[in-house]
Amino acid sequence: MPVKTLPKSVSVLIPLALPAPYDYEVPDGLIAEPGSYVIVPLGAQQILGVVWGEGTGEVDPKRLKPILEVLDVPPMPEVLRRFVDWLAAYTLNPRGSVLRLAIRAPGALEPQRMRTAYRLVDKRPARMTPARQRVVDTAMDQFARTTRELAEEAGVSDGVVRGLVDAGALVPVDLPTEAPFPTPDVAAVSKSLSPEQQAAATTLRERVDANRFAAILLDGVTGSGKTEVYFEAVAEALAQGRQVLILLPEIALTSQFLERFQGRFHCRPAEWHSELSSRERTRVWRGVAEGRARVVVGARSALFLPFPELGLIVVDEEHEAAFKQEEGVTYHARDMAVVRASLGQFPIILSSATPSLESAVNAEQGRYERIVLPERHGVAELPSITAIDMRTEPPERGRWLAPRLVEEIANALAAGEQAMLFLNRRGYAPLTLCRTCGHRIECPQCSSWLVEHRFRRELVCHHCGYSAPVPKACPSCGAEDSLIACGPGVERIAEEVAERFPEARLAVLSSDNLRGPQSHEEMFRAIEAREVDIIVGTQIVAKGHHFPWLTVVGVVDADLGLENGDLRAAERTFQLLQQVAGRAGRAERPGRVFLQTYMPEHAVMRALVAGKRDAFLKREAEARERVGLPPFGRLVGIVVSSENAAFAQKFARDMARHAPQAEEVSVLGPAPAPLALLRGRTRLRFLVKATRNVNIQAYMQAWLGEMKVPAAIRVSVDIDPYSFL
Ligand code: ADP
Ligand code: ZN
C-alpha cells in the first residue's frame, strides 16, 4: 500500500518581534535551503523571512502553509544565522528582532534593475549616412553603451542610434544599473614601516594566515601608525580571498579614513552607515552578499551584513562608547564583533590608544593578545600635558578661558600654527536661569534643562529634541529681560575666541553645524589645508583626526565627564581627554595640551599629566574588582517606563517582589532613573548585579517570565549597560 509522504517542511524566521521560527511547507518545485530568503503567508499578509532550518514538526502537517516564493539572492550564510541566534540569546531579544538588523536594505532582495545598452555587431544597414557612420565608428570598440551615451559620443540625435538598432547593426545587452565595486590593490606597496610597526604587522599577518579565531588588542599611542599596521592585516586577508570588515565608531571619522584606505589600496571600500541612501544600501548589501564588495567600512550595524567570506574584523577606536547600541536591540558592537569572529573562526583586531578597561583586562588575563606600539611615528613626539588649576588661575569674570591658555593660543597663532579648544557640550549655554525668581527652564517632556542654541535662537532639549524660541519673559514669574545663560557650550566659547582673536579664522565643530559626511570632509580638509586657525569643537574633533599643524589643545572643562557618577566616568574621561590631547603635535612641531580643571589632584588629571595610563587603568581595575563591577562582575540595567507615573511605580514595585532569590545576584531598585522623565514617560530603574559565573540571561528569563507586562508599560532590559541615565 503506497504511503502518502508528509510534505517537506522548514522553519522560517520572520523579522518581527517573534522568539522562534515557524514551520512552512516547501511546495514541489521550490528549493528552500537553510538561509534562503522566502516570502511566506503570515495571517493575511505576505512577508519576508529566512529559512532557519528543518521544520520543527510542531505544526500539524495538514495545516502547514506553503512558502510562496524563494528569492533569487545568495542564502544568508550559516555563520550569520548562528550569530543572530547568539546575539538574541545573549541580549534577551526575540530572534526575529535581531534578524531585522540583518535585512535592513529594503531593495536588496528585489531583482537588480538592468538598463539596456547596445553593442555593435557585424551587420550594416543598407543605407549608411555620415551620422550613422559616426555611431558605428564610436561603437567600434565593442563597449556597450546606452542609446543616450552613443548619441552623445557620436554627436548625433537619439533617432540615428535607434535607426541602427532597428537595422540590426546594434544589439541590446543588459547591464546592471549599480556601480561595481573596485578591487583593492593588495600588491600596492605600503609605506615603509618602522621596525616596531613591521614586527606588529608581521604578527597580524600571521594571525590572518592561521585562519582561526584570535583577538588582538593593537595598543599604540596616538599617531603610532596603528592604521598603517592593521592595513597590512587587511591586505593579507584580501590576498587570501577573504572579505574584511572595519568598524568605526562614528560617521564623522569615515571621510578621512576612506582617503587613507584609497592611498593604500588605490580604491574606496564600500561604506555602511545610517546616512547612506537606500539605493546605496541596497548596492552594498548585495555586493557583500555576492562577494563583490571585499572591504566594508562601517558603523556597528555592518556586523549584520551577509558576508559569505569574512576573514578579518578590525574595530578601530575600540574603547568608544558609540559602539554600544542603546536603542531597540541593545548590544555592544565591539563585544559582538568578537563573537562574530569567534563563530567565523578568524582573527579580530581591536585598535586603540586608550583601550577600554574591558579589553585591557582581557589582554592582562591572556584572553586577548596585546601588540604595543609605544612611540609616535617619525619625529613626532607625544604632547606635553599640563593642568591649569582654575582656582588659582581663574578666567576674568564672564569669561571661560584662563589667561595662560589664552597666551598659549596667541603664541601658536603667532608661530603660524593651529589651536583647538575642546568642550564636550553643544549649544551656547547648558542652563537658562531667571535672575529674578531663580526659575530654571526645563524640558516639558523630560527631566532635563533646555540648552540655549544661540545660532538657532532656540532652547533645545538634548534628550528628546524639543525646541522652543528663547522667551522674552520668565515663564514662571513673568519678569522681562531677566533670563541669563549659565555656563558655556561650544558656541559661547566660540564667541569668546572671536572677541579675543578677531583676526583668527575660526571653525566651530559640533553635530549641530556638521551634518553628513560631506560637510565633515570639507571641514577637515579646510583644517588640514590651514584655512582655519582656531578650532572649537565637541567630541567630534576628539577622535582619529590627523591635523599636522595643530600644536595647542585646550580642554575648557576637563572635569565635565566626572560629574556623572556612572561606573565608567573616570575611565571615559581619561580616554576622551587622552584622545583630545592626541590631536596635538602629530607632525614636526611638538604639541602642548592644557586641561582647565578645578580638581588637579583627581586621579584622572594626575594620570594624564604624568602620562601614566597603565597605572591608572590598573587602579581602576582594582577598584572595580573589589566591588565586583564589570568586567569582574555582570550588570543588567532595567528601565520600567510609562506615560502614567503611578502605573509605572506600581508595576516596578510589583516587579521587585517577583525578583527571584539567587545567591550571587543582587537587585537594586526600583529607583527613579536620573532621567526620571523622558519624552513624557516616567522612568524607574533596576540594576541587577551578579558575579561572572552567574548565567544572568537565565536569571532574567526566570524573572521576566513571572511578569505580565501591560500595554501601558514598557520594560527594557539592557545586558552590559553603558548608560545609567
Ligand atoms: P594611529 O592610528 O596610531 O593614530 P596613524 O596610523 O594615523 O596612527 O599614523 C599617524 C600618521 O603617521 C599618519 O599620517 C600616517 O600616515 C603616518 N605614518 C605612520 N606610520 C608611517 C610610516 N611607516 N611611514 C610614513 N608615515 C607613517
Ligand atoms: Zn526633552
Side-chain angles (χ1 to χ4, degrees), residues 145-295:
R145 294 177 179 80
T146 61
T147 318
R148 191 86 274 275
E149 286 165 356
L150 268 175
E152 261 167 27
E153 273 186 61
V156 301
S157 71
D158 290 11
V160 177
V161 178
R162 278 199 299 272
L164 283 166
V165 173
D166 293 342
L170 291 170
V171 296
V173 281
D174 279 345
L175 289 187
T177 46
E178 291 170 359
F181 292 92
T183 311
D185 179 0
V186 291
V189 279
S190 62
K191 298 203 162 87
S192 66
L193 300 179
S194 72
E196 286 88 7
Q197 290 175 335
Q198 191 56 61
T202 304
T203 308
L204 292 182
R205 279 183 181 269
E206 282 168 12
R207 296 299 169 269
V208 171
D209 281 341
N211 262 311
R212 44 169 198 269
F213 172 69
I216 304 127
L217 177 61
L218 181 56
D219 173 2
V221 299
T222 50
S224 56
K226 294 185 290 298
T227 317
E228 303 296 335
V229 167
Y230 75 64
F231 274 171
E232 296 308 296
V234 172
E236 186 69 23
L238 293 173
Q240 304 283 337
R242 308 294 295 264
Q243 290 169 296
V244 175
L245 169 62
I246 301 168
L247 291 177
L248 300 181
E250 288 184 46
I251 305 176
L253 295 175
T254 356
S255 61
Q256 263 201 346
F257 183 87
L258 294 178
E259 259 167 52
R260 288 192 63 177
F261 190 91
Q262 172 120 33
R264 174 66 176 79
F265 295 102
H266 303 164
C267 77
R268 281 167 89 90
E271 280 177 68
W272 183 266
H273 51 69
S274 57
E275 290 188 11
L276 292 186
S277 65
S278 73
R279 196 168 154 181
E280 185 59 9
R281 265 215 303 270
T282 293
R283 184 178 87 94
V284 173
W285 194 94
R286 195 149 38 201
V288 169
E290 292 170 1
R292 289 179 287 117
R294 306 309 298 173
V295 182

Side-chain angles (χ1 to χ4, degrees), residues 443 445-446 448 450 461 463-466 679:
C443 175
Q445 323 181 69
C446 305
S448 71
L450 292 181
C461 173
H463 292 288
C464 72
Y466 169 90
R679 295 185 183 94

